[in-house]
Amino acid sequence: MSSLIWLESAKVDIGNIFDFLAQRNPTLATSRVKSINSALEILKQAPQLGRPVKNGKRELIVGPRHAAYIAVYFYEKRTDTVFILEIRSQRQLPSS
């Protein structure tokens, strides 16, 4: 089973998602963040599940179509570790 490590940037992203959603609906914010965290746990079992993108990174789409988030991550085969790099709304442009 792969290890799952959240980079600080991804932790900030998930905090920002929570804060944004909590302004209108704190219950939804809590539920959405829990569902994102739960969905990313699958990467421990299937680290190459997401679609490949630039520079060896991968993207996993999380959540329902109308409210999906994109988790950008990197899988290091040598150490069998998944690094969560970024979480963003599907409506946001990639950071780079």
Side-chain angles (χ1 to χ4, degrees), residues 30-66:
T30 299
S31 172
R32 191 67 47 89
V33 167
K34 283 182 182 179
S35 70
I36 291 169
N37 285 325
S38 294
L40 293 179
E41 288 291 313
I42 191 68
L43 295 175
K44 290 180 178 179
Q45 303 291 331
Q48 296 181 340
L49 182 64
R51 67 180 178 193
V53 293
K54 294 181 194 174
N55 302 322
K57 296 176 188 174
R58 302 182 83 80
E59 290 183 342
L60 183 67
I61 298 173
V62 177
R65 255 190 303 192
H66 66 282

Side-chain angles (χ1 to χ4, degrees), residues 66-81:
H66 66 282
Y69 291 86
I70 297 173
V72 180
Y73 69 96
F74 179 79
Y75 174 57
E76 173 59 55
K77 274 187 186 180
R78 188 177 51 79
T79 60
D80 196 22
T81 305

